[in-house]
Amino acid sequence: MIDKPGVDERLLAAEVAAAWAVEVADLVFMPVGLDGNAWAYRVDASDGGRYFLKLRRGEFTRSAVLLPGFLRAHGVRQVVAPVDLPGGGTCREFGDYQLLLYPFHDGGSLWSRGLTDRQWIQYGEFLRRLHAVTPSADIAALLPVETYRSSAGERLRTVGVEAAASETLGAFWERYGAALHRLSETVDDLASRVTRGRHVICHADIHPGNLIADGDGPLHVVDWDAPILAPAERDLMFVHSQDFGDHPIDAHRAALFRHGYGPWEPDQTLLSYYRSERHLDDAAVFLRSILDPGASPESRANDLHWLTRIAETVADPGYANGGARAT
């Protein structure tokens, strides 16, 4: 979220210090991410250490809290897991919010600058290891299971009525509303035709924006807020799509990824379903966020940028034939 949360940052710093026994020298807001219920801070400790603090309105899912540590314990070392509280547990209450503290990794996300050749191989290696982990019974019980029943279409239809009548979004909806409604129909059609694949643990948002690296260094995988048990295509869609990141896959990068992941022929209908459903879901979320009367002009402008990018993509006559295909 690019707007600050409505919290007293002095009290927040004191809570972090008390909860994790960290002497906080500075708390720096980071305007990153598009989740309207989550905020990020960098915590600078007096001993020179740095941490990434995630603040969520409401509750983190149990899978977001517990799965990263489980995966690291099973050898998936690229996972960035939250720091345990000295007294036990991981998550800390803070009024109407919950807090998770993570190690801070330098370098920033790879959305804009892209992956190096070595990192494309590591990307494949990471997903191969992730998809090979068998969840324990306790972890499996926490994870949602793919049903191919998306709520995004209904949410789009509801918010579309408001958008059409809105001074802020009326022109946008007149231009792109029909294309977004067609997208909803496409998602329903694809859902009716998918072949139910074997379920694996999926990150479910594994685009380059959630890959952190310093230069050509090792990958660190963040944002484990919505993992799911689903076919591997749930994650592989982000790899094969042209829509996520400024340096998407091509034939050379596909070969590097396969070197790390191994031979695999993704199901094209599943790839198309996950790509279309993600665009539909994002469009519904951005429309609702823009219509939020409490949003700042900067937040609305940012959301409208991403919403327009999605709308232009799905309105393209060639949308159904491209974007998420094995290269």
Side-chain angles (χ1 to χ4, degrees), residues 123 127-128 130-132 146 148 195-206 228-240 257 261 263-267 270-271 274:
Y123 194 10
L127 283 174
R128 173 173 54 80
L130 174 65
H131 295 163
E146 180 60 82
Y148 308 102
T195 300
R196 269 57 174 173
R198 182 178 70 89
H199 286 179
V200 297
I201 298 175
C202 290
H203 179 284
D205 200 20
I206 190 65
I228 187 173
L229 290 173
E233 284 84 354
R234 181 67 182 85
D235 282 340
L236 295 175
M237 179 275 290
F238 292 100
V239 179
H240 293 294
F257 180 84
Y261 191 81
W264 178 264
E265 292 298 329
D267 182 293
L270 278 171
L271 288 182
Y274 283 123

Side-chain angles (χ1 to χ4, degrees), residues 1-326:
M1 188 73 169
I2 68 170
D3 290 340
K4 282 191 171 185
V7 301
D8 186 321
E9 292 181 348
R10 292 172 300 176
L11 293 179
L12 178 59
E15 188 71 25
V16 172
W20 281 277
V22 173
E23 189 172 336
V24 178
D26 200 7
L27 190 67
V28 181
F29 179 69
M30 300 176 67
V32 297
L34 299 173
D35 186 338
N37 291 303
W39 296 264
Y41 286 86
R42 190 187 74 230
V43 178
D44 297 337
S46 298
D47 63 2
R50 289 188 296 172
Y51 302 88
F52 181 92
L53 176 68
K54 194 161 191 174
L55 175 76
R56 173 166 289 281
R57 182 189 291 121
E59 297 182 352
F60 289 98
T61 65
R62 295 295 293 160
S63 57
V65 174
L66 299 176
L67 178 63
F70 172 84
L71 292 172
R72 284 188 63 87
H74 284 74
V76 192
R77 306 302 291 177
Q78 298 92 337
V79 174
V80 179
V83 177
D84 289 337
L85 294 159
T90 307
C91 195
R92 180 78 167 194
E93 302 286 338
F94 180 67
D96 294 332
Y97 303 86
Q98 287 190 339
L99 310 177
L100 287 175
L101 192 68
Y102 298 84
F104 187 90
H105 293 282
D106 289 318
S109 88
L110 299 181
W111 182 280
S112 296
R113 72 176 190 268
L115 287 71
T116 65
D117 283 2
R118 180 162 62 175
Q119 287 165 346
W120 272 102
I121 296 172
Q122 292 174 2
Y123 194 10
E125 290 172 343
F126 160 71
L127 283 174
R128 173 173 54 80
R129 291 191 181 106
L130 174 65
H131 295 163
V133 173
T134 300
S136 67
D138 289 344
I139 291 293
L142 298 176
L143 294 171
V145 178
E146 180 60 82
T147 63
Y148 308 102
R149 292 193 293 269
S150 173
S151 67
E154 182 59 35
R155 287 185 285 117
L156 179 88
R157 288 186 286 274
T158 300
V159 76
V161 174
E162 298 177 48
S166 161
E167 182 178 341
T168 304
L169 286 169
F172 169 89
W173 193 256
E174 184 175 357
R175 182 173 183 180
Y176 295 113
L180 292 173
H181 279 305
R182 287 196 301 272
L183 177 64
S184 178
E185 295 169 357
T186 296
V187 169
D188 290 342
D189 175 63
L190 289 167
S192 72
R193 294 192 288 113
V194 295
T195 300
R196 269 57 174 173
R198 182 178 70 89
H199 286 179
V200 297
I201 298 175
C202 290
H203 179 284
D205 200 20
I206 190 65
H207 54 69
N210 286 326
L211 303 177
I212 306 296
D214 191 3
D216 190 34
L219 298 181
H220 305 285
V221 182
V222 300
D223 198 2
W224 291 87
D225 285 0
I228 187 173
L229 290 173
E233 284 84 354
R234 181 67 182 85
D235 282 340
L236 295 175
M237 179 275 290
F238 292 100
V239 179
H240 293 294
S241 175
Q242 300 293 307
D243 308 314
F244 300 93
D246 294 339
H247 302 274
I249 200 165
D250 56 20
H252 173 67
R253 293 165 183 159
L256 294 169
F257 180 84
R258 280 196 299 270
H259 181 72
Y261 191 81
W264 178 264
E265 292 298 329
D267 182 293
Q268 295 300 321
T269 302
L270 278 171
L271 288 182
S272 295
Y273 169 77
Y274 283 123
R275 180 193 185 215
S276 299
E277 198 280 334
R278 174 56 184 255
H279 283 151
L280 185 64
D281 185 73
D282 281 351
V285 169
F286 285 132
L287 285 164
R288 176 56 64 199
S289 180
I290 293 166
L291 291 169
D292 181 355
S296 71
E298 294 79 11
S299 177
R300 283 200 185 97
N302 185 60
D303 288 345
L304 184 58
H305 163 77
W306 291 107
L307 175 62
T308 303
R309 178 168 167 164
I310 292 168
E312 289 177 344
T313 297
V314 303
D316 188 295
Y319 177 77
N321 299 318
R325 301 187 65 82

